[in-house]
Amino acid sequence: MEHKLIRKKTRAIHIGKVKVGDLAPIIVQSMTCTDTRDVQATACQINVLADAGCEIVRVAVVDTVAAQAIAEIKKGITIPLIADIHFDYRLAIEAMKHGAHGIRINPGNIAKENLKEIIEIAKRDDIAIRIGINAGSLEKDLLEKYHKPTASALVESALRSVDFFEANGFRNLKLSLKSSDVLTTIESYRLIAKETDYPLHLGVTEAGSKIASAVKSSIGIGSLLQAGIGDTIRVSVTGDPLPEVEIAYSILRALGLRSVGVNIISCPTCGRCEIDLSALVAEVEKRLVGIKENFTVALMGCVVNGPGEASEADIGIAGGKGSGILFKKGKVIGKVMQNDFVETLMKHVDILRKEISAEATENSTPH
Amino acid sequence: MEHKLIRKKTRAIHIGKVKVGDLAPIIVQSMTCTDTRDVQATACQINVLADAGCEIVRVAVVDTVAAQAIAEIKKGITIPLIADIHFDYRLAIEAMKHGAHGIRINPGNIAKENLKEIIEIAKRDDIAIRIGINAGSLEKDLLEKYHKPTASALVESALRSVDFFEANGFRNLKLSLKSSDVLTTIESYRLIAKETDYPLHLGVTEAGSKIASAVKSSIGIGSLLQAGIGDTIRVSVTGDPLPEVEIAYSILRALGLRSVGVNIISCPTCGRCEIDLSALVAEVEKRLVGIKENFTVALMGCVVNGPGEASEADIGIAGGKGSGILFKKGKVIGKVMQNDFVETLMKHVDILRKEISAEATENSTPH
C-alpha cells in the first residue's frame, strides 16, 4: 500500500474473546432493533448481523426481563454481546449477572454510589464498560458551563467519569463521545485522543436513514480513522441494522484498514452508456453480499473507456449494446452476451475466490 | 460556528455566470445520464437536477450530433452546461461552437496541435476548460514510469498539461485528479493543491451505487474539504444522477460549508423504539425534498430519551406507542397522535420556514 495510516496505540480491552485497542483490527459493531425481551427475534437478528461481519453486538436493556433475556440470547449467538443501559443502574447489574460481555452506560446519569456497585461487579467478572457520552444527555452543570454540548463539554464529561472509575481502581474502559453534529463528533474524539489512551468507540449519533448516515458516518468516522484515531466503530442507521455493518466495512475498505468483502466500482453512467448499468450493479451487489474475500469488481457502461478505466480491478465487465467485454486483472479474457453478464461474471468470481483461497493457503504453508 | 474550516484561496474562473474558486461557495455539479442527442430528455433531466440544487451540469458528447444538441438544450435550461469530451478534439470544438459554457478534456489523450486549436477557440469565446486527469486513462509513459496510477503519476500528468496550457497563454483552467481509489484521490488533490492555485473540481470516480458512492465520496471529498481543498464537487453515482446532488449537499451541510436544505437526524432505533421510525423517516424525507431553507428536523423513536437527545434540533417528534411529543428548539410544544405525526410535523415545518424567511427579510432590511 502506498498510503499507510498510522494508528494511535491505545491500551487493550476484551469484550468476550474480541480484543479492542492496542492496534488490533478495527472492530465492527452494530445494535439490534428488536425487542430484547424477544429472545428468538433478537438472536436471529444478531446472527444475520454476524454473518455480514458484525463482530460485537449491542442490545437495549429496557427492563429486568430484557436484562434476564441476555442469558438466553447468548446461547443462540457466536459474537460478544454488550448491554446498553440508560439511567437505571440496577439494569446494568442485572445484565452483568446474566452474562453480558460488556455494558455501555453514561455515568453522568447515574448516582456515584450506584456506579460503585456497578464497578465492583464489573471488576469481579472482568467485564469491560463503555463510558458513552452523548451530546443529548450531558450533565446539567456542563450544559450550563458551555451553554451547549460542545466538543469541550463532551470531553470534560468523559474525563470526569474516567477519573471516577480510576479512583475506584477500574481501568477496563472504552470511551465514546457522540454528537449528531459531525464536526462536533470529530473534534470531541480528536481532543479526547490527546488526553487518554483508552480505546475509542467511534460513531456519529442519530445519523438518519441509510444515505444520510452513510454521508455523516463516513465523514465523521472516516476523518478520525485517517487521523489514526478509533479502535471500534458503529455506524448508526435508522431501522434495520444490517446496512450499519455494510457501511462500516465500506468505510474500512475505502481507507485500506480492513480487507474484507468485495469492492464494487461502477461508472456513473453518462450519455455513452448503452446498458441498464444501475440494474446490473444492483443485481451483482446482491450476489456478492456476504463474501469475505477481498477483491474489486468493475461494472462499466461503455466498451471504449470501460476496460481502461477499470484496469486496476480484479475482474470486470464493460457492457455495450447486446454484448460486452469480460476482463481480469487488466486483460480482456472474453466477449459476453448481454443476457449472460451476471452469470458469466459470477462464474469468474467463483474462480477468483478459489485462486485467492489457494494463494492464502500457499502463503500460510511453511516452506 | 465553533468549527470554521479555512479554505485554500484559488484563482477564480467562471462557468457561464457561476463563479468557481476564490472562496466562492463550493459549487455542486452533476452529470446527465440521458443520450445528449435527445434534447428534450436531457433538458428535462437537467431541470430536475437544477431544482434539487445542481449549479453546473455536464453532458457527455459522443458525436457531432450530441455537440450540436447543446445549442438546443441550452434554450430549455437555466444552469451552465459543460461538455465532456473523450479523445476526439473536434467534438470539443464543435461543443464550444454550439455554446458550451465549459469543456472537460483529458489533454493527455489529445495531440498537441489539436489542443492548440481547442485553446484558441476557448480563448476567443472565454470558455473555461477542466483538465480532467483520471487514473484509468493516464498517459502511457507515466504509467511506465510509476508502474500504476499513483497520486504522483496523476499530479505529474496534470502539471504537464497545465504547463502546456500556460505556454500557450491560457489560464482559464480548473483541475481534477480522479481515481476510484479513495486514498489515491485524497493524496492526489493534496499534492496538486500545493503546486498550483487553479480551482479544483473534487470527485471520486466510478464510486458505485448510492450507498457505496455516499461512503467513498464522503470520505474522499469530505477529507479534502476539511483540509480546505476544493472549489466544486461532483459525487458520482451509477444510474439516475439525482442522488448525486442530494449526497453532495449532505456532505457540504455536514461540514458546515453550505446551509442549504433540511438536515434530518433520527435515532438508529433500538429495543426501546415502539413505532415504525424507518417508515416515518422515509415519508418525512420525501416531503422535505427540494426545501432550500436550512434547518434540522429530529425524528426520535422514544419519548424518554428523544426530546433530550434531539434538543439541538429546530423541530422534532419523539414517537411513542399511540402518541408522541412535538418539540421545537428544545421545548415541548404539544402531544400528537401517531396517525397525525407527518401532517402535524409538516404544518410546523411550514410555520418554521415562514419564520426563517421573515428573519432573513428582517436581516436584509436596512435600519
Side-chain angles (χ1 to χ4, degrees):
Chain A
M1 285 286 290
E2 200 179 347
H3 358 251
K4 197 73 199 163
L5 302 180
I6 297 160
R7 281 179 66 192
K8 184 177 178 297
K9 199 170 176 307
T10 52
R11 68 170 74 200
I13 63 165
H14 287 82
I15 315 290
K17 58 188 186 310
V18 176
K19 181 178 168 185
V20 175
D22 184 29
L23 311 186
I26 289 158
I27 298 299
V28 171
Q29 301 200 29
S30 184
M31 186 171 183
T32 54
C33 69
T34 51
D35 184 333
T36 308
R37 295 166 293 197
D38 184 339
V39 172
Q40 207 187 340
T42 304
C44 174
Q45 189 172 67
I46 292 173
N47 288 327
V48 171
L49 292 170
D51 278 349
C54 176
E55 295 164 310
I56 295 177
V57 73
R58 185 157 46 112
V59 303
V61 176
V62 286
D63 59 17
T64 315
V65 181
Q68 290 164 348
I70 289 172
E72 288 306 306
I73 293 168
K74 275 180 68 183
K75 291 180 189 162
I77 63 173
T78 56
I79 58 174
L81 179 150
I82 292 176
D84 190 78
I85 313 292
H86 278 217
F87 309 110
D88 190 346
Y89 83 102
R90 288 166 301 186
L91 297 178
I93 288 168
E94 210 55 30
M96 289 191 283
K97 283 188 180 162
H98 288 86
H101 297 99
I103 60 168
R104 179 260 166 182
I105 55 174
N106 182 347
N109 292 331
I110 299 172
K112 297 264 182 297
E113 281 319 296
N114 301 335
L115 265 185
K116 282 184 186 169
E117 228 178 290
I118 292 177
I119 290 173
E120 284 320 307
I121 295 176
K123 232 188 255 182
R124 187 192 70 194
D125 294 348
D126 198 24
I127 293 170
I129 297 180
R130 167 152 69 96
I131 297 178
I133 305 300
N134 193 306
S137 53
L138 211 58
E139 292 100 310
K140 223 179 149 195
D141 67 312
L142 290 175
L143 261 185
E144 274 162 17
K145 176 174 170 187
Y146 292 96
H147 305 298
K148 51 183 209 159
T150 62
S152 305
L154 297 181
V155 170
E156 186 167 339
S157 172
L159 291 178
R160 181 188 283 181
S161 288
V162 166
D163 285 346
F164 183 82
F165 278 87
E166 290 182 346
N168 284 277
F170 192 85
R171 290 191 153 79
N172 196 5
L173 294 172
K174 187 174 61 158
L175 313 179
S176 66
L177 296 85
K178 299 187 183 183
S179 165
S180 62
D181 181 72
V182 176
L183 292 177
T184 303
T185 302
I186 294 172
E187 206 181 334
S188 304
Y189 282 101
R190 280 183 178 272
L191 290 174
I192 198 82
K194 286 185 203 153
E195 301 290 336
T196 79
D197 67 348
Y198 287 110
L200 298 177
H201 164 115
L202 306 184
V204 175
T205 193
E206 290 123 28
S209 64
K210 275 197 281 187
I211 300 279
S213 173
V215 170
K216 295 179 196 174
S217 303
S218 299
I219 296 179
I221 296 173
S223 301
L224 290 163
L225 290 175
Q226 281 182 81
I229 295 167
D231 301 283
T232 175
I233 67 175
R234 189 247 172 149
V235 172
S236 294
V237 174
T238 297
D240 176 16
L242 189 57
E244 297 187 353
V245 179
E246 294 164 0
I247 294 170
Y249 279 104
S250 295
I251 293 172
L252 294 173
R253 265 201 309 274
L255 293 170
L257 288 166
R258 293 286 299 264
S259 300
V260 177
V262 183
N263 175 35
I264 298 180
I265 66 175
S266 59
C267 65
T269 68
C270 65
R272 294 180 194 95
C273 184
E274 295 179 322
I275 59 167
D276 185 354
L277 189 63
S278 215
L280 178 64
V281 171
E283 177 61 24
V284 172
E285 267 186 345
K286 214 187 302 167
R287 298 282 200 107
L288 296 174
V289 163
I291 290 182
K292 295 285 184 295
E293 292 89 353
N294 180 229
F295 52 92
T296 297
V297 172
L299 300 166
M300 309 297 284
C302 97
V303 179
V304 180
N305 303 317
E309 299 213 345
S311 60
E312 297 291 300
D314 294 292
I315 196 153
I317 277 185
K321 218 173 202 163
S323 72
I325 286 166
L326 185 76
F327 49 94
K328 189 172 176 178
K329 314 232 181 232
K331 288 197 174 55
V332 173
I333 58 168
K335 191 180 160 181
V336 198
M337 299 312 290
Q338 189 165 351
N339 288 339
D340 304 329
F341 280 173
V342 177
E343 295 312 325
T344 307
L345 185 75
M346 288 309 297
K347 209 176 72 189
H348 284 270
V349 161
D350 285 341
I351 297 171
L352 184 67
R353 292 177 64 189
K354 279 179 195 136
E355 288 166 359
I356 293 172
S357 305
E359 210 175 304
T361 313
E362 200 173 302
N363 289 341
S364 65
T365 308
H367 292 283
Chain B
M1 284 287 289
E2 199 181 348
H3 358 251
K4 196 75 199 163
L5 303 179
I6 296 160
R7 280 179 65 192
K8 186 179 176 296
K9 198 171 179 303
T10 52
R11 67 171 73 199
I13 63 165
H14 287 82
I15 315 290
K17 57 188 186 313
V18 176
K19 182 177 167 184
V20 175
D22 184 29
L23 309 187
I26 289 158
I27 298 299
V28 171
Q29 302 200 29
S30 184
M31 186 171 183
T32 55
C33 68
T34 52
D35 184 333
T36 308
R37 295 166 294 197
D38 184 339
V39 171
Q40 208 187 339
T42 304
C44 173
Q45 189 171 67
I46 292 172
N47 288 327
V48 170
L49 292 170
D51 278 348
C54 176
E55 296 164 309
I56 295 177
V57 72
R58 184 156 49 109
V59 303
V61 176
V62 285
D63 60 18
T64 316
V65 181
Q68 290 164 349
I70 289 172
E72 288 306 306
I73 293 168
K74 275 181 67 182
K75 291 180 190 162
I77 63 173
T78 55
I79 57 174
L81 179 150
I82 292 176
D84 190 78
I85 314 292
H86 277 217
F87 309 111
D88 190 345
Y89 82 103
R90 289 166 300 186
L91 297 178
I93 288 168
E94 210 53 31
M96 288 191 283
K97 283 187 180 162
H98 287 86
H101 297 100
I103 60 169
R104 178 261 165 180
I105 55 175
N106 182 347
N109 291 332
I110 299 174
K112 295 266 182 295
E113 282 319 297
N114 300 335
L115 264 185
K116 282 185 186 170
E117 229 179 288
I118 291 177
I119 290 173
E120 284 321 307
I121 294 176
K123 232 187 254 182
R124 189 192 70 194
D125 295 348
D126 198 24
I127 293 169
I129 296 178
R130 166 152 69 97
I131 297 178
I133 306 300
N134 192 307
S137 53
L138 211 58
E139 292 100 308
K140 223 178 148 197
D141 67 309
L142 290 175
L143 260 186
E144 275 163 15
K145 177 175 169 187
Y146 291 95
H147 305 297
K148 53 182 208 157
T150 61
S152 305
L154 297 181
V155 169
E156 185 167 339
S157 173
L159 291 178
R160 182 188 279 181
S161 289
V162 166
D163 285 346
F164 183 83
F165 277 88
E166 289 183 346
N168 283 277
F170 192 86
R171 290 192 153 77
N172 195 6
L173 294 171
K174 185 173 62 159
L175 312 179
S176 65
L177 296 85
K178 298 188 185 183
S179 166
S180 62
D181 181 72
V182 176
L183 292 177
T184 302
T185 302
I186 295 173
E187 205 182 334
S188 304
Y189 281 101
R190 280 184 179 271
L191 290 173
I192 198 82
K194 286 185 203 153
E195 300 288 336
T196 78
D197 67 348
Y198 287 110
L200 298 177
H201 164 115
L202 305 184
V204 175
T205 194
E206 289 123 28
S209 63
K210 276 197 281 187
I211 300 280
S213 173
V215 171
K216 295 181 195 175
S217 302
S218 299
I219 297 179
I221 295 172
S223 301
L224 290 162
L225 290 175
Q226 282 182 82
I229 295 167
D231 301 284
T232 175
I233 68 174
R234 189 249 172 146
V235 171
S236 295
V237 174
T238 296
D240 176 16
L242 190 57
E244 297 187 354
V245 179
E246 295 164 0
I247 294 171
Y249 278 104
S250 296
I251 293 173
L252 294 173
R253 264 201 310 273
L255 293 170
L257 287 166
R258 294 285 300 264
S259 300
V260 178
V262 184
N263 176 34
I264 299 180
I265 66 175
S266 58
C267 66
T269 67
C270 66
R272 295 180 193 93
C273 184
E274 295 179 322
I275 59 167
D276 185 354
L277 189 62
S278 214
L280 179 64
V281 172
E283 178 62 24
V284 171
E285 267 187 343
K286 214 188 300 166
R287 298 280 201 107
L288 296 175
V289 162
I291 290 182
K292 296 286 185 293
E293 291 90 353
N294 181 227
F295 52 93
T296 297
V297 172
L299 299 165
M300 309 299 283
C302 96
V303 180
V304 181
N305 303 316
E309 299 215 344
S311 61
E312 297 290 299
D314 294 292
I315 195 151
I317 278 184
K321 218 173 201 163
S323 71
I325 286 167
L326 186 75
F327 50 94
K328 190 172 177 177
K329 314 234 182 229
K331 289 197 173 55
V332 174
I333 58 170
K335 191 181 159 181
V336 197
M337 298 312 290
Q338 188 165 354
N339 288 338
D340 303 328
F341 280 173
V342 177
E343 296 310 326
T344 307
L345 185 75
M346 289 309 297
K347 209 177 73 188
H348 283 270
V349 161
D350 285 342
I351 297 171
L352 185 67
R353 291 177 65 189
K354 280 181 195 134
E355 288 166 359
I356 292 173
S357 306
E359 208 176 306
T361 313
E362 199 174 301
N363 287 342
S364 64
T365 308
H367 292 282

